[in-house]
Amino acid sequence: AVGTPATTYTVQQAYTFAVATTTASVGSVAFGNVATGTTSAPQSFTLTNNAVNGGSLKNLSITMVGSQPANFPMTHSCGAALAQGASCTVTVSFNPTVASGLGASVRVFGAYSRMVAGADTGITQFNGVNFVVPVTGTGTSPVATLTSASALAVPATWYGSAAQTVTATYRNDGNGPMTLSSPALSSPLSVTSNTCSNVAAAASCSMVVTVATNVPGISQSQSFAPTGASNVPVATTVTWSTYSAVPRWSPASLSFGS
């Protein structure tokens, strides 16, 4: 009726929301120093869906992103969805291809249904999950540099006299430990001392080459370059002369007559 006061009705509807969080068990992964061309021991971390009220993480995507993702092989057990309270494992290794500091990130992306009960359950609203776990490592590699002369001359000597030696020295100009193998030399040369084992970066080592005097010859030479570094250093050439005594008769002949 005209003049009748208006009546206001209030309708209350209860809603249930999923409080959505997914976390990683680590903030970052660091591999330290790993030699180039090798693969580190794997490191793993877990992803846990901490949502309440039945929130399942859907459309889950886990990828390696960043500037050097190819250096960090990654696998995971997570599938396309992660139920409330569930965890899965992400495993990463480091396989450096260059001697340098390298990095990438594990990117975790997914979505929760924000509204999971009530009158509007048919309306899908999403709360996104998008975070990264940085991974880092340093590729290491030794670089051998010959620091002694590339030509080493042994003083001339006589056959059967005391053996003589020359020394080749090397410096590790890389960023990883260096071990150089003794070269295979032909007689009368041989490597009788080699200190080039696990040589630290910027440190030096030496190889002593002994020249025996049991092979006569004038102006003989051999060249060698040790292996074991990421490069082959400049070759060292050793030259030597070993003289042998040749008797000379005077006069050249004797005549006794009749």
Side-chain angles (χ1 to χ4, degrees):
V2 177
T4 302
T7 301
T8 301
Y9 296 92
T10 300
V11 178
Q12 295 183 341
Q13 172 66 53
Y15 295 95
T16 303
F17 294 90
V19 179
T21 61
T22 292
T23 58
S25 59
V26 298
S28 62
V29 177
F31 288 95
N33 294 334
V34 176
T36 56
T38 66
T39 301
S40 71
Q43 294 193 44
S44 298
F45 62 89
T46 58
L47 296 176
T48 302
N49 180 357
N50 300 304
V52 296
N53 298 327
S56 178
L57 181 63
K58 301 177 181 179
N59 302 320
L60 179 58
S61 171
I62 302 172
T63 56
M64 188 65 69
V65 298
S67 55
Q68 294 103 13
N71 291 276
F72 298 92
M74 183 268 295
T75 61
H76 64 83
S77 63
C78 298
L82 192 62
Q84 172 188 330
S87 297
C88 60
T89 301
V90 178
T91 301
V92 184
S93 300
F94 181 36
N95 181 17
T97 56
V98 295
S100 177
L102 301 169
S105 294
V106 178
R107 179 176 179 266
V108 180
F109 179 83
Y112 291 96
S113 298
R114 196 181 75 179
M115 191 173 293
V116 296
D120 294 327
T121 55
I123 301 175
T124 302
Q125 300 184 40
F126 289 103
N127 178 27
V129 171
N130 187 359
F131 64 89
V132 297
V133 177
V135 293
T136 58
T138 299
T140 63
S141 182
V143 176
T145 300
L146 177 70
T147 54
S148 55
S150 60
L152 300 176
V154 178
T157 189
W158 288 100
Y159 181 90
S161 61
Q164 302 193 69
T165 62
V166 291
T167 301
T169 57
Y170 302 90
R171 184 181 61 242
N172 182 2
D173 287 335
N175 64 347
M178 177 180 75
T179 296
L180 301 179
S181 300
S182 297
L185 301 176
S186 300
S187 178
L189 270 59
S190 62
V191 176
T192 52
S193 175
N194 180 0
T195 65
C196 298
S197 177
N198 201 33
V199 181
S204 296
C205 63
S206 63
M207 292 188 185
V208 176
V209 176
T210 296
V211 184
T213 60
N214 59 347
V215 179
I218 307 300
S219 299
Q220 302 178 84
S221 66
Q222 278 191 55
S223 297
F224 66 89
T227 59
S230 61
N231 66 313
V232 177
V234 173
T236 298
T237 300
V238 179
T239 59
W240 71 98
S241 294
T242 301
Y243 299 114
S244 60
V246 178
R248 295 182 181 275
W249 301 101
S250 179
S253 62
L254 296 174
S255 176
F256 291 97
S258 301

